[in-house]
Amino acid sequence: MAEYIESLRLLAEKFARLEGVGKKTAMRMAFSVLELEEGEAEEFARAILDAKEKIHLCPICQNLTDREVCPICADEERDHSQICVVTDARTVLAMEKVREYRGTYHVLHGLISPMNGVTPEQLKIKELLARVGEGEVEEVIVATNPTVEGEATAMYLSKLLRPLGVRVTRLAYGVPVGADLEYADEITLFRALEGRRDVH
Amino acid sequence: MAEYIESLRLLAEKFARLEGVGKKTAMRMAFSVLELEEGEAEEFARAILDAKEKIHLCPICQNLTDREVCPICADEERDHSQICVVTDARTVLAMEKVREYRGTYHVLHGLISPMNGVTPEQLKIKELLARVGEGEVEEVIVATNPTVEGEATAMYLSKLLRPLGVRVTRLAYGVPVGADLEYADEITLFRALEGRRDVH
């Protein structure tokens, strides 16, 4: 009986720590690890340690990277006068798939949420203000999710940024209200980008 | 962009090796690993290695265990004259939840499937025959999934086992045809066990 197998139970617990993994799925994955070849399991363990060790935040845009500065911030072909502000690194991936956006990003690592105890200080907002303060930035596109928290964060940022003389825009409501940007299709994201509007 | 982050891509690939994990889920999990505390990621890696290292097959029933002989085979309170034959270790867990079955198990580690190139020799069938050959066994309950392959394997086992003088039974069709036993509810499994019938 697997309930008796301590190491299997422990492994399932680790899987269950991951976002969106329930108990049953976690146990299924733990069983699945046992079916891996010996070498594959070792590579898996190594990959976890490697990812944790090598990946850190880009000092400019706060996106995840394994380089000193992330490839987007380091790319001189990109338009550094535009910053697209996103909630997390996964949204950067989704935006990049559109292939229409040529500016840079800024990853907040969360949204302001008094209900969940997330205050502006916990997000990468002061880093964003510092970037804008340097003077090169002309437009900040706030691409937070079209949810209550996403809107509230956009409003908060707008109030801080507009006095600095930059245009603050918001993705158009091409993305369905209440949805997660990560799962938006590329055309929807493209239309939302095209129809972006000023935040007043 | 995460496509640039080699170690993140590699980690997602490892997750995608696990049964039932698609590309998108795998990437989500890889991101999720980055959000773990440093120590937690190390524990996760360690748990993978530990599980692989400590868990092996019980020499009697072929179920997964971290002991020399699994707790069920080692339990003298269990009825060793009954063997419930299952496809995999997960089905043992599902059966144990019924709490009505007091016999032992035998894990085949697959089903006969000419389509997928799985022959009887690749399953733990000779180990089952050896157990039955020792003479203590009176009944073999074949609890393979009620699918084409499950039925075919049950028929195959019945033909080998009945000449040895044991009763060969099959779970009643209380379990919905085509379903996976792992997801059957406890009452259904219990009824299926009660209504088990002889295989002719």
Side-chain angles (χ1 to χ4, degrees):
Chain A
M1 228 181 104
E3 252 119 38
Y4 297 163
I5 311 182
E6 180 70 3
S7 48
L8 191 67
R9 195 183 55 73
L10 278 174
L11 179 56
E13 265 177 27
K14 300 301 169 199
F15 276 112
R17 296 278 167 81
L18 304 180
E19 197 191 319
V21 179
K23 272 190 165 184
K24 192 123 195 176
T25 308
M27 186 49 89
R28 200 176 185 102
M29 287 179 168
F31 271 114
S32 197
V33 165
L34 298 181
E35 282 157 26
L36 294 175
E37 303 283 324
E38 194 75 42
E40 269 192 308
E42 275 167 32
E43 282 171 26
F44 191 1
R46 166 78 9 230
I48 289 170
L49 298 175
D50 265 9
K52 274 302 270 189
E53 193 182 300
K54 292 182 185 163
I55 300 172
H56 55 264
L57 301 186
C58 168
I60 300 169
C61 73
Q62 312 296 320
N63 192 9
L64 299 168
T65 185
D66 56 356
R67 318 216 185 152
E68 199 175 334
V69 168
C70 84
I72 294 172
C73 285
D75 186 348
E76 298 194 358
E77 304 277 293
R78 309 275 308 209
D79 182 354
H80 290 261
S81 75
Q82 261 187 339
I83 296 180
C84 179
V85 176
V86 295
T87 308
D88 51 38
R90 283 177 282 195
T91 310
V92 175
L93 261 186
M95 290 294 292
E96 283 298 284
K97 280 189 194 141
V98 186
R99 287 205 185 81
E100 285 295 323
Y101 180 66
R102 299 301 303 157
T104 62
Y105 293 94
H106 194 87
V107 183
L108 292 178
H109 293 277
L111 292 171
I112 300 169
S113 170
M115 292 279 287
N116 299 312
V118 182
T119 62
E121 294 71 41
Q122 291 167 268
L123 307 178
K124 303 295 184 185
I125 293 175
K126 59 180 184 297
E127 290 83 352
L128 173 63
L129 295 176
R131 285 175 75 184
V132 173
E134 283 168 15
E136 202 195 343
V137 180
E138 287 164 18
E139 180 182 3
V140 174
I141 304 166
V142 184
T144 50
N145 282 340
T147 57
V148 174
E149 291 169 356
E151 291 293 349
T153 305
M155 287 305 126
Y156 181 89
L157 292 177
S158 172
K159 270 181 202 151
L160 288 175
L161 292 167
R162 276 187 302 138
L164 301 176
V166 287
R167 187 179 168 207
V168 181
T169 57
R170 182 99 178 83
L171 288 187
Y173 267 120
V175 279
V177 175
D180 191 325
L181 281 185
E182 192 192 349
Y183 296 108
D185 64 276
E186 291 159 36
I187 296 161
T188 304
L189 274 175
F190 175 46
R191 295 224 174 109
L193 196 60
E194 268 197 330
R196 67 184 185 272
R197 56 187 168 72
D198 287 285
V199 179
H200 299 292
Chain B
M1 229 180 102
E3 251 120 39
Y4 297 163
I5 311 182
E6 180 69 2
S7 48
L8 191 66
R9 194 183 56 72
L10 280 173
L11 180 56
E13 266 178 25
K14 300 301 169 197
F15 276 112
R17 295 276 168 82
L18 304 181
E19 198 191 320
V21 178
K23 271 189 167 184
K24 193 124 194 176
T25 309
M27 187 49 90
R28 199 175 185 101
M29 287 178 169
F31 272 113
S32 197
V33 165
L34 298 181
E35 281 157 27
L36 294 176
E37 302 284 322
E38 195 75 43
E40 270 191 308
E42 275 167 32
E43 282 171 25
F44 190 1
R46 168 68 21 219
I48 288 171
L49 299 175
D50 265 9
K52 273 303 269 190
E53 195 182 298
K54 293 182 183 162
I55 300 173
H56 55 263
L57 302 187
C58 169
I60 300 169
C61 73
Q62 313 296 319
N63 192 9
L64 300 168
T65 185
D66 57 356
R67 317 216 185 153
E68 200 176 332
V69 167
C70 85
I72 294 172
C73 285
D75 187 348
E76 299 193 357
E77 303 278 292
R78 309 274 310 206
D79 181 356
H80 290 261
S81 75
Q82 262 188 339
I83 296 180
C84 178
V85 176
V86 294
T87 308
D88 51 38
R90 282 177 282 195
T91 309
V92 175
L93 261 187
M95 290 295 291
E96 283 298 285
K97 280 190 194 142
V98 186
R99 288 204 184 82
E100 283 297 321
Y101 180 65
R102 299 301 302 158
T104 63
Y105 293 94
H106 193 87
V107 183
L108 293 177
H109 292 276
L111 292 172
I112 300 169
S113 170
M115 293 280 285
N116 298 314
V118 183
T119 62
E121 293 72 40
Q122 291 167 266
L123 307 179
K124 304 294 183 184
I125 292 175
K126 59 179 183 298
E127 289 82 353
L128 173 63
L129 294 176
R131 286 176 75 184
V132 172
E134 283 168 15
E136 202 195 343
V137 179
E138 287 164 17
E139 181 182 3
V140 174
I141 304 166
V142 185
T144 51
N145 281 341
T147 58
V148 174
E149 292 169 354
E151 291 293 350
T153 305
M155 287 303 127
Y156 181 88
L157 292 178
S158 172
K159 270 183 200 148
L160 288 175
L161 292 167
R162 276 186 302 138
L164 301 178
V166 287
R167 186 178 168 207
V168 181
T169 58
R170 182 101 178 82
L171 288 187
Y173 267 120
V175 280
V177 175
D180 191 325
L181 281 186
E182 193 194 349
Y183 296 108
D185 62 275
E186 291 159 36
I187 296 162
T188 305
L189 275 175
F190 175 46
R191 295 225 173 106
L193 197 61
E194 268 198 329
R196 67 185 185 271
R197 58 186 167 72
D198 287 284
V199 180
H200 298 293

